[in-house]
Amino acid sequence: MASTKETIVLLGDELIRKKGYNAFSYADISKQLNVKNAAIHYHFPTKPDLADAVVDFHTDSFNRFTEKASSRNEADQIKMFLNFYASIQLSGKLCVIGSFAGDWNSMDNEIQEKVTEFTEHVLSWITETLEKGKEKELLSFNAPARIEAMKILTNMCAGTQLARITGSNDFTEIKNSILHEIIN
Amino acid sequence: MASTKETIVLLGDELIRKKGYNAFSYADISKQLNVKNAAIHYHFPTKPDLADAVVDFHTDSFNRFTEKASSRNEADQIKMFLNFYASIQLSGKLCVIGSFAGDWNSMDNEIQEKVTEFTEHVLSWITETLEKGKEKELLSFNAPARIEAMKILTNMCAGTQLARITGSNDFTEIKNSILHEIIN
DNA sequence: GTCTATATGTTGATAGAC
DNA sequence: GTCTATCAACATATAGAC
């Protein structure tokens, strides 16, 4: 059973990634909880406080994901990562990274640093997974692993954005093409 | 000499791609022109009207770009396209497509359709340029041209976003890696 | 500890002055 | 034709009630 505070983080996350940080207000959350908007300020005094908690939530989620994926081989792990983005796309959200990047100049330094740390964390995981997969000859790619990781991440990140514009099918094609090119 | 109306479009475009559609206000523009915010409403009655004009501006710009690039071979044209994104990145902006995608659910149907049209237009140009370049054996890639085009576009689009978070150098590495992989 | 009533500023937009 | 004075709605946030 999620606490009110946890529910607010989940709703805030959904709003940030569906509407954008600047487009949502505390009223959007308070209406869903049948309280006044000021009640949200009790749990998260300022909007940046909530954004902060949302980034923490994603850090925890990603750690749970990598933990869960760690029992599989590297090709499967990359596949799981891309499928995770497919579920983001289907739910009409963007990934945190792309969402915060768009509103980057509205974010204070503390959140920027937290998002940077999260992004480097994700990039490191992809990079290491690609490297191990290449060693085991499960994966193939020409660029240095970190650059390949950035290309995959930007494909996924902007893939969910492009899908809003040109349709869900385009995301699927990008995803399948990546898998086809790197999995032996 | 740009008219006031043209200047407003340029300032609006810069604000949309630097701060985001929902983060900027008419006051941001009016301050720079030393008028009251309501003066902007004379030229563009509503914010969507301005967004509309910004998309038109980009359609015209892109058409000028392809016209100018058409005298070069296909490898050079792709290089010019990626360099165009490099200049966006250096100026601290995002591309229109990624910027509007983030605020997609705040846009009305008319603008969404215009952005969709613009995006398909850009994708078509990349696709055709890739196809011609492959025929002439100037370019190499395995995926169908439109999918390769989407991968390049998403690399560039989210590359400018990633660069805000992890630094300008990462964009350059993505760009160089793409060119290295597709240019013979 | 959790919420509501309330304040203060900013937003997009209208009506009307020059 | 171009702009300013002004407004109603909404934003974030504080002080204080229960």
Side-chain angles (χ1 to χ4, degrees):
Chain A
M1 192 60 187
S3 68
T4 306
K5 194 159 186 172
E6 287 165 339
T7 307
I8 292 170
V9 173
L10 292 176
L11 289 172
D13 171 52
E14 184 168 19
L15 286 161
I16 285 172
R17 295 193 291 141
K18 274 191 178 164
K19 299 181 65 174
Y21 179 75
N22 286 304
F24 93 95
S25 80
Y26 272 22
D28 293 324
I29 297 174
S30 62
K31 275 175 203 160
Q32 294 195 58
L33 296 178
N34 280 310
V35 291
K36 301 294 161 189
N37 76 76
I40 312 301
H41 283 278
Y42 164 68
H43 297 281
F44 299 97
T46 70
K47 215 180 172 188
D49 288 329
L50 177 54
D52 216 77
V54 166
V55 181
D56 284 339
F57 165 74
H58 280 279
T59 303
D60 293 345
S61 295
F62 186 71
N63 287 337
R64 278 196 301 278
F65 167 80
T66 58
E67 171 63 26
K68 189 180 137 200
S70 63
S71 62
R72 311 287 287 275
N73 72 46
E74 283 73 17
D76 282 349
Q77 291 188 45
I78 295 294
K79 212 180 280 183
M80 286 171 75
F81 182 73
L82 301 204
N83 282 334
F84 174 68
Y85 267 85
S87 72
I88 292 174
Q89 195 281 308
L90 280 177
S91 69
K93 299 182 200 115
L94 299 184
C95 80
V96 228
I97 296 169
S99 183
F100 276 88
D103 286 320
W104 194 248
N105 297 321
S106 309
M107 316 305 296
D108 61 35
N109 224 264
E110 198 187 325
I111 297 168
Q112 287 184 346
E113 279 169 22
K114 213 162 212 169
V115 173
T116 303
E117 197 178 353
F118 173 73
T119 305
E120 292 288 8
H121 183 50
V122 173
L123 270 178
S124 295
W125 180 83
I126 308 173
T127 303
E128 283 162 28
T129 307
L130 287 174
E131 275 168 350
K132 286 179 209 156
K134 193 174 195 177
E135 271 173 36
K136 294 187 192 172
E137 298 188 342
L138 293 168
L139 300 173
S140 295
F141 50 90
N142 297 317
R146 190 174 188 275
I147 296 178
E148 191 65 30
M150 291 195 292
K151 285 162 85 175
I152 292 173
L153 182 62
T154 51
N155 282 147
M156 289 294 100
C157 190
T160 59
Q161 295 170 15
L162 184 66
R164 283 186 169 174
I165 300 173
T166 64
S168 194
N169 192 53
D170 280 345
F171 177 88
T172 308
E173 290 191 326
I174 292 169
K175 194 196 85 172
N176 291 340
S177 175
I178 294 170
L179 292 175
H180 186 262
E181 293 220 337
I182 67 167
I183 295 186
N184 289 336
Chain B
M1 193 58 188
S3 69
T4 305
K5 193 159 188 170
E6 285 166 339
T7 306
I8 292 170
V9 174
L10 291 176
L11 289 172
D13 171 52
E14 184 167 20
L15 285 161
I16 285 172
R17 295 194 290 141
K18 275 192 176 162
K19 299 181 66 175
Y21 178 76
N22 286 304
F24 94 93
S25 80
Y26 272 23
D28 293 325
I29 297 175
S30 63
K31 276 174 201 158
Q32 294 193 58
L33 296 178
N34 282 309
V35 290
K36 300 296 161 187
N37 77 75
I40 312 301
H41 282 279
Y42 164 68
H43 297 282
F44 297 97
T46 71
K47 216 180 171 189
D49 288 330
L50 177 53
D52 215 77
V54 167
V55 181
D56 283 340
F57 166 72
H58 280 279
T59 303
D60 293 345
S61 293
F62 186 71
N63 286 338
R64 276 196 301 278
F65 167 80
T66 57
E67 171 64 27
K68 188 180 137 202
S70 64
S71 62
R72 312 285 288 275
N73 73 45
E74 284 73 17
D76 281 348
Q77 290 188 46
I78 295 295
K79 210 180 281 182
M80 286 171 76
F81 182 73
L82 300 204
N83 282 333
F84 174 68
Y85 267 86
S87 72
I88 291 174
Q89 195 282 308
L90 280 175
S91 70
K93 298 182 200 116
L94 299 183
C95 80
V96 228
I97 296 169
S99 182
F100 277 87
D103 287 319
W104 194 248
N105 296 322
S106 309
M107 315 305 295
D108 62 35
N109 222 264
E110 197 188 325
I111 297 167
Q112 287 184 347
E113 278 169 24
K114 213 163 210 168
V115 173
T116 303
E117 198 178 355
F118 173 72
T119 304
E120 293 288 7
H121 183 49
V122 172
L123 271 176
S124 294
W125 179 84
I126 308 173
T127 303
E128 284 162 27
T129 307
L130 287 174
E131 275 168 351
K132 285 180 209 156
K134 194 175 194 178
E135 270 173 38
K136 293 189 194 170
E137 298 187 344
L138 293 168
L139 300 173
S140 295
F141 50 91
N142 297 317
R146 190 173 187 273
I147 297 178
E148 190 66 30
M150 290 195 292
K151 286 162 84 175
I152 292 173
L153 182 61
T154 51
N155 283 146
M156 289 295 99
C157 189
T160 58
Q161 295 169 16
L162 183 66
R164 281 185 171 174
I165 300 173
T166 64
S168 193
N169 193 51
D170 279 345
F171 177 87
T172 308
E173 289 191 326
I174 293 169
K175 193 196 85 174
N176 290 341
S177 175
I178 294 170
L179 292 175
H180 185 261
E181 295 220 338
I182 67 167
I183 294 186
N184 289 336

